[in-house]
Amino acid sequence: MEIRHEQQAAAGCNEPWPYYEFWGKHGPVNVLQTSTDRGWSGLSAQLCSVNKAVIPWTTPQSDIRMCVDVRGNKSFIARRAPGIESRITVRRGTVWLSPPGLQDGSVDITQDMSGVLHVYLPISHFSPSNVDIDQSAIGALGYESAFEDPLLAEMGYAIASELETETSAGRLLIECLASSLAARLVQNCIASPARQSAFPGASGALDRRRLQRVLDYIETNLEGDLTLDLMASIACLSRYHFARAFKQAVGQSPHRYVSARRLDRAKALLMQGDRSLVDIALALSFSDQASFTRAFRQATGQAPGQYRRDFGSRRHDSSPADIGPALPMLA
């Protein structure tokens, strides 16, 4: 569902969407949100609305493109390319793939679509170090007719949600989802015998010693650049296995754990009162203060400034009688 372009965009490089300058302003595709300037690693994405049109269909040489209908307008879509023809009425959650390097094709959209997520996943993700697959299985990841996969759809919804509302651990979430998308696509697209050998058991559990190393690293770098690759390397696991092992050990996915710890750090920094809101926002990996404020209010019910003022009021109003009974609890 793309417009022909001259410059290819590598999904892991966060380059501007190649069609935005023309089609985003003048054509049938309206870019609602984009991952450009989000600092994402592992994939890039755009959330678009698309008007009724016949659109040239191409795909970058280095990426597999996955589209997900995240709104559900029940538009009839016909995709055509040499040796390829697909006709389907899409609904919310419908997924379709485009192989790398597709140049000569078209997409006929019969009804306006209010929300289509485009995800560009580099083929470098489909490697043994990432999803533990045999390289011969990658050949099965070509063109697919539109299909239903609730798990892939939920991953798409999560990406779209992060595009619309930035969170403190959003970049880490996207890294996790990039690996999970690659694993799921391989699982769906290869034959059963290959599938059984493509996903061997985990190369090691996350024992207490390695888990503690990871938790210490997270705590030290809450105001730094936390990546799934670094955490997985500390645990001596692949990214895919690390994400599963961490959730089994902690009860939360890496990005949810980091998000909760960053919320606690944000509260502590706000209570200290000596750093500006924009400084705290940038320190905790938000792109701007507005995104930090939205996420903090969603998590706590208060804006950061109000939280700081309320804490100052409570501290000012506290009396020795209030503090005394609490002292034994601190021992």
Side-chain angles (χ1 to χ4, degrees):
M1 199 171 295
E2 301 182 36
I3 314 306
R4 183 178 302 278
H5 64 287
E6 297 178 358
Q7 180 181 4
Q8 293 173 345
C13 299
N14 295 295
E15 296 180 4
W17 195 44
Y19 318 120
Y20 176 73
E21 285 303 315
F22 180 76
W23 291 105
K25 296 179 180 179
H26 307 291
V29 178
N30 178 38
V31 181
L32 305 176
Q33 300 289 340
T34 176
S35 63
T36 302
D37 299 328
R38 290 290 186 91
W40 288 7
S41 175
L43 61 80
S44 64
Q46 296 83 29
L47 183 62
C48 309
S49 62
V50 188
N51 296 333
K52 176 181 176 181
V54 178
I55 305 174
W57 170 29
T58 66
T59 308
Q61 188 68 41
S62 59
D63 307 321
I64 287 176
R65 184 171 61 81
M66 183 182 84
C67 291
V68 182
D69 183 351
V70 297
R71 297 283 190 266
N73 295 97
K74 297 184 179 180
S75 176
F76 180 80
I77 293 180
R79 295 194 299 165
R80 301 179 181 88
I84 298 171
E85 184 161 352
S86 172
R87 299 169 179 268
I88 188 172
T89 300
V90 298
R91 60 183 182 180
R92 185 173 187 268
T94 296
V95 178
W96 57 96
L97 303 179
S98 297
L102 180 64
Q103 296 299 313
D104 298 315
S106 65
V107 179
D108 187 350
I109 303 170
T110 63
Q111 182 178 330
D112 294 354
M113 301 179 69
S114 60
V116 180
L117 178 72
H118 298 247
V119 177
Y120 292 84
L121 197 64
I123 57 176
S124 58
H125 271 298
F126 301 91
S127 65
S129 63
N130 187 27
V131 291
D132 296 330
I133 64 172
D134 188 320
Q135 289 295 290
S136 63
I138 296 177
L141 289 166
Y143 168 83
E144 276 279 349
S145 298
F147 59 95
E148 305 289 333
D149 184 315
L151 182 55
L152 281 177
E154 287 298 331
M155 294 182 198
Y157 302 153
I159 295 170
S161 177
E162 183 63 30
L163 280 173
E164 294 179 307
T165 305
E166 186 180 7
T167 63
S168 63
R171 281 184 284 181
L172 184 57
L173 168 64
I174 295 303
E175 281 192 86
C176 294
L177 288 175
S179 294
S180 297
L181 282 171
R184 183 62 173 179
L185 288 173
V186 170
Q187 189 179 45
N188 278 352
C189 296
I190 61 179
S192 296
R195 181 182 305 172
Q196 294 173 3
S197 62
F199 294 91
S203 56
L206 192 56
D207 57 67
R208 181 173 297 182
R209 179 175 56 85
R210 286 191 288 176
L211 174 62
Q212 192 58 53
R213 286 206 309 263
V214 173
L215 296 180
D216 289 343
Y217 175 79
I218 291 173
E219 205 64 27
T220 303
N221 292 276
L222 284 175
E223 296 184 45
D225 188 18
L226 284 168
T227 69
L228 193 64
D229 277 333
L230 284 173
M231 287 188 284
S233 66
I234 291 170
C236 301
L237 293 173
S238 70
R239 294 200 305 171
Y240 175 69
H241 285 142
F242 169 73
R244 293 194 304 172
F246 186 93
K247 186 172 184 179
Q248 289 174 353
V250 178
Q252 292 179 301
S253 63
H255 88 272
R256 287 192 179 278
Y257 178 84
V258 170
S259 181
R261 293 301 304 129
R262 279 181 167 158
L263 175 62
D264 290 340
R265 178 63 60 86
K267 291 178 178 178
L269 293 174
L270 289 168
M271 288 187 290
Q272 289 173 10
D274 57 351
R275 294 174 68 173
S276 67
L277 295 184
V278 66
D279 184 35
I280 294 173
L282 296 177
L284 296 178
S285 297
F286 286 94
S287 60
D288 53 41
Q289 182 180 331
S291 298
F292 169 57
T293 298
R294 284 193 298 270
F296 192 90
R297 181 184 287 114
Q298 184 176 13
T300 66
Q302 288 182 299
Q306 182 63 47
Y307 183 89
R308 172 178 279 172
R309 289 191 293 272
D310 285 354
F311 174 77
S313 299
R314 290 195 300 270
R315 183 172 55 182
H316 178 75
D317 293 339
S318 296
S319 66
D322 298 324
I323 298 173
L327 291 177
M329 299 178 62
L330 302 176

